[in-house]
């Protein structure tokens, strides 16, 4: 593996500096387009109505009716027997079932179906249409919506986009901490995460609740508190994982909290309408936990609160554990790199770009008659009498090969100092200085540059 890595680095180093930088940055759009196509288009391009979960209240006619329905529409429904009507309706209310079916005891009256549009609008609509087709040729059917949606959120999309905004907010706060580049301690990171969560939860709910009127403002403080907890928990997780993934934390964070969380949450389409893979992930993604808790607050439907709080706590604890362990692991990797005099491909590419930029700047200055080393005109006017006296009293400057060597070394030193101070930094290491070892690293780079020049 090490031989392959060494060969790859050698081949990559032969590319022009600009090509190196472009190659290192193209992973992000490539990852984005692949994840978007697989998770969004793959999940939503062709929703299929199959295995609709329906609770059937136990009765003498239940078994016969289910058998007839299965023969008439095979694979369309997934029936489950419940002992009484209340338990069947509770299953619809918490989202376990898309609908509850109660058949007439004598087999002569109309069947009654209970749905909850506020829990999943598409699920309730598909269940209603499918059951209506099945019972159309019989005695008919009546529908009762136990949790209708308000006009302000007619299609039930409010909870879904609130969930998405909270996920992005938590992810972005943690990314902001990393991009600050300073060697922030744990308590400072936690303070920024908490402060960011407070501000973003207030802003989000003011816009959604007070601005657009998606929900009644009597729920405002409940949703602000819930948004704060979720944004903080997601931020903790991303911050902790960043110690292990560095600048590439963007990929796993977006994959987990945006690309997978949306389709697996069941907020856009019921998981039985999309590939089974997303249904398997549903209990583990924060999107599901968030939307279920929002629906409980607003409409009294969805899973019990304890499940959402349990999921939130697990993500937060994982983030704290990764933060504690990851910091020491990251520091040990940095120390090994510094002592070995090694550099990352990104830093090497940045150095190559900096050197190329310095050469181009020098060439541009020369074309305009300016010495790139001194900033003075190449054809300077004759010195005055006072300047001549100062030059006579000054110490003689080195000349010949020694002068050229000193000048080149000074230029290399300035180049590395400039790159160290202004170059793009690693997400978590700030270009290798998150340990407070900036001066050690800087001295190593300068000495390495001067020694390389002398060797040449």
């Amino acid at each position: 593996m090490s031989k392959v890595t060494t060969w790859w680095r050698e081949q990559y180093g032969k590319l022009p500096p600009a090509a190196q930088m472009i190659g290192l940055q193209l992973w992000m759009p490539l990852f984005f387009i692949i994840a978007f196509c697989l998770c969004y288009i793959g999940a939503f391009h062709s929703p299929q109505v199959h295995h609709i979960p329906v609770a059937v209240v136990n009765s003498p006619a239940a078994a016969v009716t289910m058998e007839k329905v299965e023969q008439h529409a095979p694979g369309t429904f997934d029936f489950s027997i419940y002992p009484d009507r209340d338990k069947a309706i509770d299953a619809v209310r918490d989202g376990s079932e898309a609908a509850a079916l109660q058949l007439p005891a004598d087999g002569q009256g109309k069947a009654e179906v209970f749905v909850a549009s506020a829990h999943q609008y598409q699920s309730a609509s598909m269940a209603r249409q499918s059951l209506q087709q099945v019972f159309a040729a019989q005695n008919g059917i009546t529908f009762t919506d136990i949790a209708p949606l308000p006009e302000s959120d007619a299609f039930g999309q409010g909870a879904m986009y609130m969930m998405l905004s909270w996920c992005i907010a938590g992810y972005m706060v943690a990314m902001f901490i990393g991009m600050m580049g300073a060697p922030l301690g744990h308590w400072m990171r936690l303070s920024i995460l908490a402060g960011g969560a407070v501000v973003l939860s207030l802003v989000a709910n003011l816009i959604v609740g007070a601005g657009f009127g998606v929900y009644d403002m009597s729920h405002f403080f409940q949703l602000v508190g819930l948004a704060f907890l979720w944004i903080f928990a997601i931020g903790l997780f991303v911050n902790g994982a960043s110690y292990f993934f560095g600048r590439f934390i963007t990929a796993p964070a977006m994959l987990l909290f945006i690309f997978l969380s949306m389709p697996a949450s069941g907020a856009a389409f019921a998981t039985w309408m999309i590939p089974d893979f997303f249904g398997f992930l549903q209990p583990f993604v924060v999107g599901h936990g968030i939307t279920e808790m929002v629906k409980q607050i607003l409409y009294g439907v969805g899973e019990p609160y304890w499940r959402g709080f349990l999921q939130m706590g697990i993500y937060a604890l994982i983030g704290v554990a990764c933060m504690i362990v990851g910091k020491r692991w990251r520091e040990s990797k940095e120390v090994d790199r510094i002592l070995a005099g090694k550099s990352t491909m990104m830093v090497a590419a940045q150095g190559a770009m900096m050197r190329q930029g310095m050469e181009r700047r020098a060439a541009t200055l020369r074309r305009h008659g300016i010495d790139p080393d001194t900033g003075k005109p190449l054809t300077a006017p004759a010195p005055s009498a006072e300047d001549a006296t100062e030059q006579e009293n000054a110490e003689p400057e080195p000349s010949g090969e020694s002068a050229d060597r000193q000048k080149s070394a000074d230029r290399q030193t300035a180049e590395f100092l400039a790159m160290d101070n202004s170059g793009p930094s690693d997400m978590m290491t700030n270009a290798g200085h998150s340990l407070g070892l900036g001066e050690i690293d800087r001295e190593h780079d300068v000495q390495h540059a001067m020694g390389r020049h002398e060797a040449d």
Side-chain angles (χ1 to χ4, degrees):
M1 185 67 181
S2 59
K3 292 182 178 180
V4 174
T5 303
T6 302
W7 178 86
W8 165 249
R9 285 178 176 271
E10 291 176 352
Q11 301 303 313
Y12 188 81
K14 295 177 182 179
L15 296 174
Q20 294 183 32
M21 288 297 295
I22 292 173
L24 286 172
Q25 299 297 345
L26 274 180
W27 72 270
M28 184 58 191
L30 181 63
F31 160 78
F32 186 92
I33 196 68
I34 292 174
F36 190 96
C37 291
L38 290 178
C39 297
Y40 283 6
I41 300 178
F44 299 144
H45 77 287
S46 181
Q48 300 293 324
V49 178
H50 63 284
H51 298 292
I52 304 174
V54 176
V56 180
V57 179
N58 194 16
S59 69
V64 176
T65 301
M66 286 190 296
E67 184 177 353
K68 289 182 178 179
V69 171
E70 184 61 27
Q71 292 176 353
H72 177 75
T76 302
F77 299 97
D78 188 2
F79 293 112
S80 298
I81 297 294
Y82 283 75
D84 56 58
R85 169 174 166 166
D86 291 339
K87 285 185 171 55
I89 292 177
D90 288 342
V92 175
R93 194 180 301 278
D94 68 20
S96 302
E97 307 288 346
L101 174 64
Q102 184 172 30
L103 299 166
D106 57 2
Q108 300 300 318
K110 291 184 177 181
E112 189 173 7
V113 173
F114 302 89
V115 296
S117 299
H119 183 265
Q120 224 298 325
Y121 178 81
Q122 288 81 4
S123 177
S125 299
M126 292 298 101
R128 179 170 181 163
Q129 292 176 15
S130 300
L131 289 170
Q132 195 166 25
Q133 292 175 3
V134 169
F135 287 92
Q138 300 183 23
N139 296 329
I141 191 170
T142 61
F143 291 92
T144 301
D145 195 339
I146 61 174
L149 284 163
E151 294 182 1
S152 57
D153 189 19
F155 293 93
Q157 299 299 291
M160 180 182 73
Y161 286 108
M162 286 166 64
M163 170 271 292
L164 186 60
S165 67
W166 297 357
C167 287
I168 295 174
Y171 153 75
M172 290 300 295
V173 171
M175 292 293 291
F176 165 74
I177 293 174
M179 289 187 293
M180 287 178 68
L184 300 176
H186 289 325
W187 287 113
M188 179 59 72
R189 291 176 181 272
L190 292 176
S191 299
I192 296 174
L193 283 173
V198 169
V199 173
L200 295 177
S201 60
L202 281 169
V203 171
N205 282 282
L206 283 172
I207 294 174
V208 175
F212 293 121
V214 173
Y215 61 81
D216 188 276
M217 287 300 288
S218 62
H219 301 294
F220 177 76
F221 290 106
Q222 289 176 286
L223 289 174
V224 168
L226 186 63
F228 166 79
L229 293 174
W230 274 112
I231 293 172
F232 187 63
I234 293 171
L236 281 176
F237 185 92
V238 175
N239 177 66
S242 296
Y243 285 100
F244 297 94
F245 289 94
R247 73 175 77 253
F248 298 105
I249 184 59
T250 306
M254 291 186 68
L255 184 65
L256 185 59
F257 296 114
I258 298 177
F259 290 119
L260 289 176
S261 192
M262 172 70 90
S265 68
F269 288 97
T271 52
W272 48 263
M273 298 177 67
I274 59 179
D276 294 339
F277 170 73
F278 296 101
F280 170 78
L281 291 179
Q282 186 177 72
F284 310 105
V285 296
V286 298
H288 180 65
I290 294 174
T291 52
E292 293 295 295
M293 296 181 83
V294 170
K295 292 170 185 176
Q296 271 287 4
I297 292 174
L298 297 181
Y299 310 120
V301 296
E303 295 178 349
Y305 286 117
W306 68 264
R307 292 188 182 181
F309 282 119
L310 176 63
Q311 186 186 62
M312 182 194 301
I314 291 174
Y315 272 92
L317 288 175
I318 292 174
V320 172
C322 288
M323 183 171 63
I324 296 172
V325 176
K327 181 176 176 62
R328 297 186 64 83
W329 178 84
R330 192 81 181 184
E331 288 179 351
S332 66
K333 298 291 288 184
E334 282 190 70
V335 170
D336 292 341
R337 180 187 64 80
I338 294 169
L339 296 180
K342 295 181 179 179
S343 179
T344 64
M345 293 176 66
M346 177 63 75
V347 173
Q350 291 171 355
M353 285 286 287
M354 181 68 73
R355 288 190 291 274
Q356 188 179 68
M358 296 287 288
E359 293 171 359
R360 289 178 177 174
R361 186 182 69 172
T364 301
L365 291 173
R366 289 193 186 96
R367 283 199 302 270
H368 290 270
I370 300 174
D371 188 333
D373 296 314
T374 64
K376 298 179 181 180
L378 290 173
T379 55
S384 63
E386 183 179 350
D387 292 338
T389 302
E390 290 181 359
Q391 290 179 4
E392 290 176 0
N393 295 332
E395 294 181 5
E397 296 181 356
S399 59
E401 182 179 351
S402 176
D404 293 339
R405 180 179 300 177
Q406 182 64 40
K407 183 181 295 184
S408 179
D410 291 341
R411 186 166 62 251
Q412 290 282 354
T413 299
E415 172 188 330
F416 275 88
L417 289 176
M419 182 177 67
D420 183 68
N421 289 325
S422 63
S425 60
D426 188 285
M427 259 282 304
M428 299 301 298
T429 65
N430 193 26
H433 307 319
S434 65
L435 301 178
L437 300 177
E439 294 301 324
I440 297 176
D441 247 1
R442 182 176 302 175
E443 181 181 356
H444 170 270
D445 289 341
V446 172
Q447 290 178 353
H448 179 67
M450 294 177 65
R452 181 180 59 191
H453 174 77
E454 291 176 359
D456 294 340

